[in-house]
Amino acid sequence: MPIKKISKRKREPKKWVTVGEVRAAIFAEQRPSQWRPGQFVFNRASKLYGDDFVRSVGYDPFYKDENIVPFIEALTEALNKSN
């Protein structure tokens, strides 16, 4: 009886996300009119990636809309590190 070679499972390469992909995921839904832009970005990211994870990013756009871009960039970096 021939001996079968057992193939080792190949590891899939890490999937890196881009800032554009994270931004697209966040803005895939329309912002409720009563929410500020930063509030929407924070709440949507919390829904997508988990509240504890999002709060650990360091930038908080909830009350400061000017933190939206740094928040999305830091979130992208954190997501890539967690892979």
Side-chain angles (χ1 to χ4, degrees):
M1 180 189 286
I3 298 174
K4 287 186 177 180
K5 288 186 178 180
I6 299 174
S7 64
K8 291 183 179 180
R9 270 183 107 172
K10 292 183 180 179
R11 281 185 134 184
E12 289 190 29
K14 289 184 177 182
K15 169 68 172 112
W16 298 99
V17 293
T18 65
V19 171
E21 290 170 333
V22 173
R23 182 179 288 122
I26 290 171
F27 290 102
E29 286 187 7
Q30 188 173 359
R31 177 174 61 97
S33 61
Q34 68 272 19
W35 285 5
R36 292 177 316 285
Q39 181 181 10
F40 169 73
V41 168
F42 185 85
N43 287 341
R44 182 83 170 118
S46 290
K47 182 179 177 183
L48 290 170
Y49 305 111
D51 193 53
D52 290 337
F53 183 75
V54 169
R55 289 181 187 276
S56 73
V57 167
Y59 291 93
D60 186 355
F62 194 91
Y63 292 109
K64 293 185 177 182
D65 291 342
E66 60 269 13
N67 284 344
I68 291 173
V69 172
F71 171 77
I72 292 175
E73 290 170 350
L75 178 60
T76 304
E77 185 177 330
L79 287 168
N80 286 325
K81 284 182 180 178
S82 72
N83 277 342

